[in-house]
Amino acid sequence: MIEKAPSCEDPSDPGLLPVAEALQRIEKVLPQSAFNQPETVDLKAALDRILARAVHSAIDVPSYTNSAMDGYAINSNDIPTAAQGEKTLVVKGTAWAGRPLQEPVLAGEAARIMTGGMMPEGTDTVVIQEHVSVLEEGTKVCIDATVEVGRNVRFSGEDVEQGQVVFEAGEKLGPAQIGQLASLGIAEVDVSRKLKVAYFSTGDELRSLDEHAGQTLAPGELFDSNRHSMAAMLAHMEVEAIDMGVVRDNEEDTRAAFTRAAEIADVVVTSGGVSTGEADYVTKVIHQLGDVAFWKLAMRPGRPLAFGKLGDAVFFGLPGNPVAVMVTFYEFVRPALLHMSGARLKQTPLMSAICQSKLKKSPGRTEYQRGIVSLDTQGQSVVSTTGKQGAGRISSMYAANCMIVLPPGSGTVEPGESVLVQPFFGLI
Ligand code: AMP
Ligand code: MG
């Protein structure tokens, strides 16, 4: 009888490294090189960058107390009681946004006020224009007892107070953070510098589009797609990506490529050649050049993964299959790049959904199956599979809008069971 060695086909193998443990091991050795070398950028160029220092506010936002609505600013002492019924006030003038009323509003008076207009001295309440009767061509207004004290007023410092820490270091700057910084009058920010990430594909079967676009493939050849999906994933990461092409499966080229990449980049990411096939020169060369572990991860897709240091550079050797490249990039490389940049939030949130499909699985590994999540007619999150889950089928990634993350302990999922999904929104 043939004694079978552990392989990708085994559902469980006690020697496999759990995903969570791999992530911990990775984080432990990552340098925060980008975070520790900040650069100052214009706010206009700061989208998706990571703040390298906390931001304090030098001002109150809003900087003055103002009206939240178009209406009439009054003193609440002038609100009539229910027994009094109504009260007529003399309109003193108008407080426009950007053009405050210069004189105080006295008892028995009101000021016409526009949204964003500064509350005139002597007023504390805005009655919206729909709740007054305008008399004598706007020179007087009549209000009643339904007016609530202090309504429709936005107070100075209500959003941000002077001196307050608005953002801690590590904040990723999205559109809302950029808007907040602009509201504070901040035109430049200190952010982590861009990491240099060198990447290449390995494999003799690969034809690079750089040289072979439009050509017919010979038997046994395929176009190098991983380098292009890698470039696209890196383009969403605010890094300086360095494309090093396709490297042939021979020792000399592989060594030259790794040596050069480690010299020019903070992070080196490759695809292919990390399993134990005979043409996998990556393993051999890397052992000579760096301090790298070749892991067999308890995950599918993406069982083989190399991780370690090549000189000062951090190295990720991703598997060759196109879906495995994407899944391992998002689960390991992306959080690592964010960690090196000092980002506080590195993982996208998981949510639960009711699975509508049967998902075949054996206990032993974390599986990242591709799914389509949506709301059903009752407003409940539901998810269904995209179908066949082969690691080579990149179509399963764009048919999907989430990954269904099945933990190592789980077996086959029956329709109606609750599962965890990781939405692509915010990730891809
Ligand atoms: P490997 O890990 O090198 O044994 O590759 C595993 C599988 O992924 C093989 O079927 C390869 O042909 C395929 N593969 C490797 N690199 C690429 C690439 N850059 N683009 C598309 N497919 C690839
Ligand atoms: Mg290969």
Side-chain angles (χ1 to χ4, degrees):
M1 202 177 87
I2 300 172
E3 200 174 305
K4 299 200 172 76
S7 79
C8 291
E9 295 205 334
D10 299 333
S12 75
D13 164 354
L16 297 181
L17 180 66
V19 173
E21 200 181 320
L23 271 169
Q24 276 172 12
R25 287 192 194 177
I26 289 171
E27 209 160 275
K28 217 182 263 172
V29 301
L30 289 176
Q32 288 204 306
S33 31
F35 185 64
N36 295 332
Q37 295 167 348
E39 60 181 0
T40 305
V41 296
D42 195 289
L43 188 61
K44 287 180 181 146
L47 182 64
D48 290 338
R49 302 293 296 271
I50 310 293
L51 266 187
R53 306 193 200 296
V55 171
H56 295 73
S57 178
I59 57 168
D60 279 335
V61 181
S63 58
Y64 58 93
T65 300
N66 65 88
S67 176
M69 300 289 275
D70 291 341
Y72 292 84
I74 63 159
N75 188 307
S76 52
N77 292 332
D78 276 327
I79 301 171
T81 61
Q84 288 167 331
E86 294 181 349
K87 183 160 184 182
T88 299
L89 304 173
V90 175
V91 178
K92 187 90 181 262
T94 303
W96 304 90
R99 253 190 296 153
L101 185 68
Q102 298 302 341
E103 26 180 3
V105 170
L106 308 175
E109 294 180 339
R112 178 92 173 103
I113 194 163
M114 303 304 165
T115 304
M118 183 165 144
M119 290 294 284
E121 193 186 327
T123 65
D124 61 9
T125 299
V126 172
V127 191
I128 63 171
Q129 59 195 19
E130 292 80 359
H131 290 180
V132 302
S133 336
V134 178
L135 311 171
E136 298 177 31
E137 290 170 354
T139 57
K140 289 182 180 164
V141 282
C142 185
I143 61 170
D144 65 18
T146 61
V147 174
E148 285 172 51
V149 178
R151 275 301 289 263
N152 306 312
V153 177
R154 297 189 290 219
F155 290 96
S156 141
E158 169 180 296
D159 189 11
V160 177
E161 273 180 48
Q162 187 181 5
Q164 181 190 323
V165 175
V166 185
F167 297 122
E168 300 283 359
E171 181 86 12
K172 188 173 177 208
L173 301 178
Q177 287 88 341
I178 300 258
Q180 181 76 83
L181 289 165
S183 79
L184 304 175
I186 294 173
E188 286 183 335
V189 278
D190 291 342
V191 295
S192 301
R193 75 165 166 84
K194 289 191 179 190
L195 288 165
K196 292 193 175 84
V197 183
Y199 60 101
F200 54 89
S201 297
T202 67
D204 273 342
E205 75 279 31
L206 303 177
R207 290 295 164 262
S208 163
L209 290 186
D210 304 339
E211 299 146 43
H212 303 280
Q215 293 180 7
T216 310
L217 294 171
E221 293 181 345
L222 55 107
F223 289 118
D224 166 26
S225 66
N226 288 345
R227 203 160 42 93
H228 293 269
S229 45
M230 190 99 82
M233 292 187 289
L234 288 169
H236 280 174
M237 295 287 312
E238 290 301 312
V239 296
E240 197 180 304
I242 305 163
D243 181 356
M244 294 185 61
V246 173
V247 175
R248 300 274 144 240
D249 283 327
N250 68 62
E251 205 173 322
E252 199 182 325
D253 288 0
T254 307
R255 178 175 296 109
F258 276 111
T259 307
R260 172 102 187 102
E263 277 165 13
I264 60 173
D266 301 293
V267 182
V268 180
V269 190
T270 63
S271 73
V274 288
S275 44
T276 47
E278 279 166 28
D280 289 338
Y281 289 96
V282 173
T283 322
K284 191 169 171 193
V285 168
I286 281 287
H287 275 314
Q288 296 163 358
L289 294 182
D291 180 12
V292 173
F294 285 79
W295 289 333
K296 289 185 173 65
L297 295 174
M299 73 184 280
R300 189 200 300 261
R303 183 173 181 264
L305 184 91
F307 172 75
K309 295 293 279 290
L310 279 181
D312 288 335
V314 171
F315 169 64
F316 285 93
L318 307 184
N321 277 308
V323 181
V325 168
M326 292 193 72
V327 172
T328 50
F329 183 94
Y330 286 124
E331 300 305 322
F332 297 104
V333 182
R334 181 179 184 273
L337 297 178
L338 288 170
H339 181 87
M340 292 174 80
S341 305
R344 285 189 298 128
L345 294 177
K346 294 175 278 275
Q347 295 293 348
T348 53
L350 293 170
M351 56 185 251
S352 67
I354 300 296
C355 194
Q356 295 183 313
S357 319
K358 177 172 181 153
L359 306 178
K360 281 183 70 175
K361 180 183 184 295
S362 314
R365 302 202 234 169
T366 306
E367 289 200 12
Y368 297 83
Q369 300 204 10
R370 276 73 69 205
I372 302 159
V373 66
S374 62
L375 287 184
D376 70 7
T377 49
Q378 271 89 54
Q380 161 76 51
S381 294
V382 291
V383 66
S384 53
T385 178
T386 56
K388 291 221 165 70
Q389 297 288 313
R393 287 175 186 255
I394 201 161
S395 59
S396 70
M397 282 299 286
Y398 58 79
N401 65 6
C402 69
M403 282 188 287
I404 307 172
V405 184
L406 303 173
S410 88
T412 291
V413 174
E414 297 296 338
E417 283 182 37
S418 181
V419 288
L420 289 178
V421 303
Q422 185 177 36
F424 285 168
F425 176 76
L427 179 65
I428 292 192

